[in-house]
Amino acid sequence: MKTITFQLNGEEKRAEVHPGQSLLEVLRETFKITSPKDACAPQGQCGCCLALVDGRPKTSCSVPADKVDGKTVLTLEGVSTEERRLYARAFQVAAGLQCGFCTPGLTLRIKWLTDQERLLTRDEIAKGLDGHLCRCTGYVKIVDAVELIQSAKRGQALPAVVDSGGVGARLAKYQGGELALGDRPFVADIDAPGLLHAAVVLSPHARARVIRVDTSRARAYPGVVAVATARDVPGDRWVGLIYKDWPCFVAEGEEVRAVGDVLAAVAADSPRIAREAAGLVDVEYEPLPPVLDPAEAIRPGAPRVNPKHDNVLSTTRFARGDVEAALAASTHVVTGTWATQRIEHLFLEPEASLAVPLPDGRLHLYTQGQGIFDDRRQVAAVLGEPEDRLFVELVPNGGAFGGKEDMSIQAQTALLARMTGRPVRLVLTREQSIRMHPKRHPITMSYAVGCDAEGRLTAAKVSLLGDSGAYASVGGKVLERAAGHACGPYRVPAVQVEAIAAYTNNPPCGAMRGFGVNQTSFAIEGCIDLLAAKVGIDGWEMRFRNALRVGDTFTTGQVLEKSVGLEKTLLAVKEAYYAARGQGRAVGIACGVKNSGIGNGAIEYGKCRLVVEANGTVVLYAGFTEMGQGLLTILTQCAAEVTGLPPRTFVPRIDGRFELGAGQTTGSRATLLGGRGAVDAARKLRADLDRGSSLADLVGREYAGEIVIDDTTAPGQTKNGKVKTHTSFGWATQVVVLDGSGALDRVIAAHDVGRAINPQQCEAQIEGSVHMGLGYALTEELPCRDGMPVTFKLREIGVLRAQHMPTVEVILVEEPEPEGPFGAKGVGEIGLVPTAGAVAGALHAFDGVRRMRLPMKDSPAARAINVGRIPDAERDRWH
Ligand code: FES
Ligand code: FES
């Protein structure tokens, strides 16, 4: 231990620091300074933990604490009130944040950048932000915010924050100012009296028999309060959203099935002690050969990966028309195999969970999951307790993108709280996070697609094989969705599709923004380009001739009756597409379709309660998760529009006070369903207001909103003689333009959003999706060797930085959805569905190479980007 003295936010501080302790640990744990966040410690690659040390920006996770002895350290907490207001306002005006986990670090960097005398250009700003990662925004609006701050520091007035208006208003994000400054806590920022800190022990093997788990050394470690293993679970150890095939602890005598499997969890007086004690849990394994190739996994005789299910997790098959005859009669046929990679969500906030015993014997579980009522149900089952013994509360999370649908560490946290009778907080490291949560599926896709002499599609025969990894998660549904969207947004009279999800000992794969559709989009868009070349027409014309319109039949057999805005999105990009080609630029184009709502026969709900409070507010309770996408703002706008009350009247809250469970926040459905639930409740409040009551008269009143959608059809089935696979679809066309060197230059993204409840947030969702789609196309991957990711380094994983982003132009098209709130249909996922296909088309136009495998790292566009470079020695095995 060493004593250091330093100036922290203008005050002299002393601290005892351990060897190896980082400045970030001292700030957060010793001084309870929470604006610097831990997203990748000790990598120093995301910028979330930024502090100014002697006036210079430093990633505090990579600065040894003893090195700040005698120095000054500034965090956002020490910035003047006036300056803090400026940053908060600029981020709100520009909509420069979504989940907000990256934002405090960025804000401090921006303070440093804009304190310089020189006015920075947009390119210089983007380069200046290179030390920072944002997974949500695509950086466009962050750079907008920096420009506003620069101007304000030179005396120009900032535009006002929009704090009024209902549907259609560019209302500022709910809690945007607090998020920008790091004032709104995430789970890892919440303290509790007597708090214990937890750490988990994960398997180093993808497949091995567990011979013995010996916790004696860990239990004896000073500061350790409890160690939990499978033996301590009083209820059902197996969890899972669809199949209960995932043990929250692997027991002695069982096999581990993935490198994220949990063997033990330790609760201790500090995070450091918990981590050190976790390293003292002795686990004896008998390593077994892992099953790594999905094609091998589904062969007869392959070792069984999961004891609850054979290796074929799911098979989806459907057909319309005589595909073989239609292909034989086609003027042109293209065939090929496309392949996509496993990628990591890389939400910036790693998984965190807090469980606090309440005086009445219940447990208060703070979770950041994408379905808090599913979390409650599963944790209660693990504890062997009735659900009403758990009060569950969402802490809006720092990004999820599907990766927080499955349980991660909620059950282990709750168990330790029950075992100790004390509050317990468990936060994963970045490496543990990557090892544990499900990824985007690698899918191998074989296609044969035909067309007539004019380019009209005739038939498609499609076979898909996805690697679902060690646990079911929602992998079967991902492949089902991939199958349903296999022909993209095109009219294909004869269709034959088979999709298999296979268990392997790779990290599990499950939900990720786009849910299987990005993969098949990449393949079908490649087929469309190949056919267009054979017909002798360009990509825009080929797509326009085949675009689905009202009255046409979707891949699954659903006849589209409403709200098909694809043609409008094609027309919206037409001029830019031909102008860029006319200038001799390499241009790619792709279209996309993505369902909103789960559909496929699922019964879906939108639920809401409005409760009038004595302080003049109305608490808006809902059941879906805010994860940066802006749900709380959208629900507020819906309620404000219906009631005529100002948006600031509404205080959104997601917790277990009412039974508002509606499943996972997935499938672009929170606006569609949650919005309608809010409208339903708001109409009832409005009726009382219209009868002459004031809010003061209505204090204590509750207004329940609930809508049900129960008319979709399971694959292969009909209802009332109709196929209705999905309630609603989003439609899009994207154009990618390269510069003279083959690097990304410009993306034009035209999207039918039904109705833009908040146009600024719609744009922001699409910009962020395009950013994710470009990374998917060019640089992102998570290859594994023997089931273990070969890298956990953020730069190697390949998420694009601000300086890598091309210009993104978003065009919002509104083709109202009659079943959506005010015509809205959800926009969370479709933003990246067409992107990889459009990039592939642009690259082919540039160098004549047709790329059929992602990421396209062999391309000039990827080579112009300095992330995603995994040393060759680390990547000798793919998928
Ligand atoms: S947490 Fe320090 S740079 Fe990521
Ligand atoms: S807003 Fe940047 S990571 Fe979410």
Side-chain angles (χ1 to χ4, degrees):
M1 295 276 268
K2 178 181 172 188
T3 304
I4 60 166
T5 307
F6 65 111
Q7 291 280 321
L8 174 57
N9 295 330
E11 288 179 26
E12 185 161 308
K13 299 284 184 189
R14 285 164 65 85
E16 303 288 317
V17 301
H18 298 272
Q21 198 171 5
S22 69
L23 172 59
L24 177 63
E25 289 172 281
V26 170
L27 291 174
R28 289 185 60 87
E29 291 165 26
T30 308
F31 297 109
K32 309 296 180 197
I33 297 273
T34 55
S35 72
K37 310 293 182 194
D38 180 354
C40 75
Q43 293 185 26
Q45 293 192 356
C46 74
C48 291
C49 63
L50 204 80
L52 298 185
V53 178
D54 280 352
R56 302 284 305 172
K58 299 282 180 198
T59 49
S60 62
C61 71
S62 55
V63 173
D66 58 3
K67 290 282 188 293
V68 299
D69 194 20
K71 300 195 169 165
T72 64
V73 176
L74 182 74
T75 69
L76 276 177
E77 286 84 351
V79 172
S80 74
T81 306
E82 190 186 351
E83 210 177 334
R84 284 165 55 87
R85 276 203 201 109
L86 164 63
Y87 301 135
R89 188 161 153 189
F91 267 97
Q92 287 177 283
V93 168
L97 80 168
Q98 291 182 27
C99 78
F101 199 79
C102 69
T103 321
L106 272 159
T107 302
L108 206 55
R109 169 80 64 177
I110 291 165
K111 169 188 165 46
W112 182 78
L113 281 174
T114 56
D115 279 349
Q116 320 294 314
E117 280 191 6
R118 206 163 63 77
L119 191 68
L120 302 174
T121 64
R122 281 186 80 87
D123 280 352
E124 287 171 331
I125 293 167
K127 284 200 177 78
L129 301 180
D130 189 57
H132 294 261
L133 203 54
C134 175
R135 191 53 154 165
C136 300
T137 62
Y139 307 101
V140 178
K141 290 182 173 12
I142 295 175
V143 177
D144 292 347
V146 180
E147 288 194 310
L148 288 173
I149 292 165
Q150 286 197 131
S151 303
K153 287 190 175 179
R154 282 160 180 77
Q156 286 184 30
L158 268 182
V161 173
V162 178
D163 64 357
S164 63
V167 169
R170 295 168 79 88
L171 186 70
K173 184 179 178 64
Y174 178 69
Q175 294 184 323
E178 295 95 316
L179 282 164
L181 299 172
D183 289 348
R184 210 232 56 210
F186 292 87
V187 174
D189 301 330
I190 300 174
D191 216 337
L195 182 68
L196 294 172
H197 303 266
V200 285
V201 178
L202 302 186
S203 167
H205 303 284
R207 183 167 173 246
R209 190 173 318 288
V210 179
I211 308 296
R212 192 175 55 94
V213 181
D214 182 351
T215 59
S216 53
R217 287 199 303 147
R219 284 178 206 276
Y221 197 65
V224 168
V225 180
V227 182
T229 67
R231 284 190 220 107
D232 300 298
V233 176
D236 187 352
R237 212 161 29 88
W238 297 81
V239 300
L241 287 169
I242 296 174
Y243 297 112
K244 294 176 82 168
D245 68 345
W246 197 334
C248 58
F249 292 96
V250 179
E252 288 178 350
E254 288 179 358
E255 281 182 21
V256 290
R257 298 161 204 94
V259 295
D261 281 356
V262 178
L263 279 304
V266 179
D269 290 336
S270 75
R272 183 183 57 81
I273 295 172
R275 278 196 306 274
E276 289 172 357
L280 297 176
V281 174
D282 298 305
V283 186
E284 188 183 335
Y285 299 95
E286 177 197 344
L288 299 167
V291 180
L292 302 170
D293 180 342
E296 296 290 332
I298 59 174
R299 291 215 172 101
R304 185 162 164 160
V305 171
N306 191 297
K308 305 285 187 180
H309 203 290
D310 63 45
N311 287 356
V312 179
L313 168 61
S314 71
T315 304
T316 304
R317 275 196 199 97
F318 57 87
R320 277 191 292 115
D322 187 338
V323 167
E324 299 299 346
L327 285 174
S330 298
T331 310
H332 305 287
V333 175
V334 295
T335 59
T337 300
W338 280 258
T340 61
Q341 76 282 40
R342 175 185 305 100
I343 68 163
E344 159 62 27
H345 299 73
L346 214 68
F347 38 75
L348 264 282
E349 180 204 24
E351 292 85 343
S353 175
L354 168 67
V356 180
L358 297 174
D360 62 6
R362 291 183 304 156
L363 201 59
H364 188 152
L365 182 69
Y366 297 85
T367 177
Q368 30 127 280
Q370 286 181 241
I372 66 163
F373 292 89
D374 285 343
D375 291 351
R376 184 182 68 178
R377 173 176 51 77
Q378 295 185 89
V379 172
V382 171
L383 297 179
E385 299 181 10
E387 288 186 33
D388 62 10
R389 298 280 292 165
L390 279 172
F391 181 79
V392 67
E393 177 176 348
L394 172 77
V395 181
N397 68 40
F401 313 111
K404 292 175 180 171
E405 289 193 13
D406 295 273
M407 291 262 283
S408 54
I409 46 169
Q410 294 93 328
Q412 294 88 346
T413 313
L415 177 62
L416 286 168
R418 278 296 189 226
M419 287 169 69
T420 61
R422 289 172 60 179
V424 175
R425 191 172 71 204
L426 205 172
V427 183
L428 292 185
T429 65
R430 176 57 60 188
E431 177 179 329
Q432 290 171 334
S433 168
I434 291 173
R435 284 165 67 172
M436 191 180 280
H437 67 251
K439 312 283 174 254
R440 187 187 296 291
H441 283 74
I443 304 183
T444 302
M445 304 169 285
S446 299
Y447 271 69
V449 183
C451 71
D452 65 17
E454 282 77 45
R456 293 196 168 75
L457 296 172
T458 52
K461 185 175 177 183
V462 179
S463 168
L464 313 173
L465 176 60
D467 180 354
S468 253
Y471 296 107
S473 177
V474 291
K477 296 293 169 194
V478 170
L479 267 291
E480 180 184 272
R481 212 67 76 248
H485 290 67
C487 299
Y490 303 115
R491 196 184 318 108
V492 186
V495 173
Q496 182 181 316
V497 181
E498 179 187 79
I500 294 174
Y503 278 99
T504 67
N505 291 111
N506 288 314
C509 287
M512 186 173 179
R513 195 181 211 173
F515 209 86
V517 179
N518 308 334
Q519 291 92 322
T520 45
S521 175
F522 176 57
I524 187 69
E525 293 299 322
C527 294
I528 297 289
D529 279 347
L530 289 168
L531 287 171
K534 285 179 182 280
V535 175
I537 58 178
D538 63 57
W540 188 93
E541 183 60 37
M542 181 75 185
R543 286 167 175 84
F544 194 75
R545 287 183 191 181
N546 288 288
L548 285 167
R549 294 163 172 92
V550 168
D552 287 335
T553 302
F554 186 58
T555 304
T556 59
Q558 176 174 355
V559 176
L560 300 167
E561 296 176 340
K562 57 188 168 68
S563 189
V564 183
L566 179 62
E567 185 178 323
K568 286 186 180 173
T569 66
L570 271 160
L571 292 170
V573 304
K574 184 176 183 182
E575 192 179 329
Y577 173 82
Y578 285 111
R581 282 167 61 101
Q583 291 160 5
R585 308 294 288 276
V587 182
I589 183 169
C591 295
V593 57
K594 179 69 185 60
N595 59 290
S596 294
I598 294 173
N600 282 289
I603 299 175
E604 300 185 77
Y605 299 90
K607 299 180 184 177
C608 179
R609 287 288 188 289
L610 296 175
V611 179
V612 183
E613 301 287 339
N615 62 4
T617 64
V618 178
V619 180
L620 190 162
Y621 292 90
F624 290 122
T625 287
E626 168 68 51
M627 45 191 170
Q629 84 280 41
L631 174 70
L632 302 183
T633 315
I634 296 301
L635 296 181
T636 297
Q637 287 185 255
C638 288
E641 179 71 26
V642 173
T643 59
L645 294 167
R648 72 178 83 89
T649 308
F650 297 94
V651 180
R653 192 171 293 160
I654 316 295
D655 66 28
R657 179 169 162 191
F658 298 103
E659 290 303 316
L660 301 177
Q664 294 291 308
T665 311
T666 189
S668 301
R669 68 183 188 148
T671 294
L672 181 79
L673 294 160
R676 281 186 55 191
V679 166
D680 192 39
R683 282 191 181 132
K684 293 168 185 168
L685 170 57
R686 172 70 192 249
D688 273 355
L689 295 172
D690 284 348
R691 280 190 279 271
S693 298
S694 67
L695 278 185
D697 300 329
L698 301 173
V699 170
R701 289 280 184 89
E702 296 174 9
Y703 299 89
E706 179 166 325
I707 63 100
V708 183
I709 292 181
D710 60 359
D711 63 346
T712 63
T713 53
Q717 296 187 355
T718 58
K719 251 183 203 167
N720 304 323
K722 281 200 323 196
V723 173
K724 185 178 180 186
T725 321
H726 293 290
T727 301
S728 179
F729 294 94
W731 308 91
T733 303
Q734 292 185 357
V735 170
V736 170
V737 183
L738 305 183
D739 69 14
S741 68
L744 294 171
D745 183 40
R746 185 176 168 216
V747 177
I748 303 129
H751 283 254
D752 167 23
V753 300
R755 175 82 189 275
I757 288 183
N758 185 319
Q760 199 178 26
Q761 288 199 9
C762 263
E763 287 164 17
Q765 280 289 295
I766 294 165
E767 288 162 0
S769 300
V770 166
H771 162 260
M772 195 178 270
L774 293 172
Y776 186 52
L778 293 170
T779 51
E780 289 188 38
E781 60 177 334
L782 192 73
C784 293
R785 182 188 300 128
D786 295 332
M788 178 71 87
V790 301
T791 184
F792 299 100
K793 293 183 186 146
L794 270 48
R795 280 194 180 269
E796 291 182 356
I797 287 170
V799 176
L800 304 190
R801 306 270 163 163
Q803 63 164 315
H804 306 131
M805 282 298 287
T807 304
V808 180
E809 298 159 37
V810 175
I811 302 169
L812 297 181
V813 171
E814 296 189 321
E815 186 69 33
E817 166 54 63
E819 294 189 74
F822 305 101
K825 55 173 70 168
V827 71
E829 295 179 289
I830 189 171
L832 72 159
V833 167
T835 312
V839 174
L843 287 168
H844 180 262
F846 183 80
D847 61 12
V849 178
R850 170 61 53 191
R851 293 171 175 87
M852 299 167 75
R853 185 181 191 102
L854 297 182
M856 297 180 280
K857 284 190 173 178
D858 64 334
S859 65
R863 284 195 293 271
I865 296 169
N866 64 356
V867 295
R869 296 182 181 164
I870 301 173
D872 283 345
E874 292 180 14
R875 45 174 300 166
D876 59 358
R877 174 172 263 144
W878 289 66
H879 295 171

